[in-house]
Amino acid sequence: MLTPRQRFLALLTLCLTLVAPVPAHAAPVGAPAAAARNPVVFVHGYNADPGVWGSLREDLRADGYADSELFSFGYDTHQSVNEVLSGRLAAYVDDVRRQTGAARVDVVGHSFGSLVSRWYVKYGGGTAAVDHWVSLAGPNHGTSTAWACALWDQACRDMTPGSYVVKNLASGDETPGEVKYATFWSDCDEVVNPDGSVPLAGALNTAVGCLKHNDLLGDDATSAGVRAFLRS
């Protein structure tokens, strides 16, 4: 038979057991952690605006991205890559990182936007801030079609084969740092000439088939390739 003291201690133990907090369930050993996702910064091409990214933004939202993770850099495409635009892109990326708290961003550029973003990565400190870099139909080694407007337009001069911008981007390592690089190019591109201007040494270079220059922006297969790359 329990003594009064023993009955009291037994009752106290029961009460403490009933009011003790229930421990949270730990994740099963070996369960995958939630994948980290970088904000995406889109950089449009010559004579364009952020509206060109509607299709790819929609596809990324379908993949689970929030609008607060998708950013479109808008800029005057008639200015110089190295003296003006890459610096403005650097400031924009820094602002995106402050807003989101992200250490790095992913950058997707189309056409002329590829040169602007490459200069930022290679010469503007972007290797420390960019995780994935994507070029859609970028004149990465110049395009002869830019001679048509090079006489009066700085951006066109930057896109010509052998320009200061093209030569410096091609010098040394075309894909510097720990950034992951990818290009997507078409053998029917009427703007980038030659078509082989797009691929870069050290990048994942993907031929998308016979597509017009701007059609890469809305092509389903190209979009799937970009999204798969961003997940890598």
Side-chain angles (χ1 to χ4, degrees):
M1 183 174 179
L2 297 175
T3 65
R5 176 179 174 79
Q6 289 172 324
R7 286 198 298 271
F8 172 75
L9 291 175
L11 180 62
L12 179 61
T13 300
L14 176 62
C15 291
L16 290 175
T17 301
L18 292 174
V19 300
V22 178
H25 293 291
V29 176
R37 187 166 61 205
N38 298 318
V40 178
V41 175
F42 298 106
V43 186
H44 63 75
Y46 182 72
N47 271 350
D49 60 53
V52 302
W53 298 110
S55 180
L56 188 51
R57 287 177 68 100
E58 183 178 336
D59 289 346
L60 287 168
R61 284 195 295 265
D63 277 357
Y65 283 80
D67 282 328
S68 58
E69 297 173 298
L70 303 175
F71 297 84
S72 296
F73 174 59
Y75 62 102
D76 178 356
T77 63
H78 302 286
Q79 297 178 307
S80 70
V81 165
N82 55 309
E83 294 178 350
V84 179
L85 298 178
S86 62
R88 291 181 180 173
L89 176 59
Y92 186 84
V93 169
D94 286 346
D95 187 52
V96 168
R97 293 167 66 204
R98 280 193 295 270
Q99 287 183 50
T100 61
R104 289 177 176 263
V105 303
D106 294 334
V107 174
V108 181
H110 176 245
S111 192
F112 179 62
S114 301
L115 299 185
V116 175
S117 54
R118 277 184 69 207
W119 194 280
Y120 157 59
V121 171
K122 186 166 185 173
Y123 295 113
T127 52
V130 176
D131 190 12
H132 296 79
W133 177 89
V134 179
S135 170
L136 304 179
N140 292 311
H141 297 100
T143 175
S144 62
T145 60
W147 288 114
C149 51
L151 184 62
W152 63 86
D153 191 281
Q154 179 61 50
C156 289
R157 287 193 288 275
D158 288 346
M159 288 188 282
T160 56
S163 72
Y164 176 87
V165 167
V166 167
K167 284 193 297 186
N168 279 274
L169 287 174
S171 66
D173 190 353
E174 289 193 323
T175 52
E178 297 182 2
V179 181
K180 303 180 187 76
Y181 295 84
T183 75
F184 293 80
W185 62 280
S186 164
D187 55 10
C188 294
D189 194 323
E190 78 284 11
V191 173
V192 176
N193 184 39
D195 301 327
S197 174
V198 182
L200 295 171
L204 176 66
N205 300 301
T206 302
V208 299
C210 186
L211 294 176
K212 296 296 186 183
H213 185 70
N214 289 332
D215 289 349
L216 276 76
L217 291 164
D219 178 62
D220 289 341
T222 302
S223 172
V226 171
R227 288 178 285 131
F229 177 70
L230 296 182
R231 290 193 294 268
S232 67

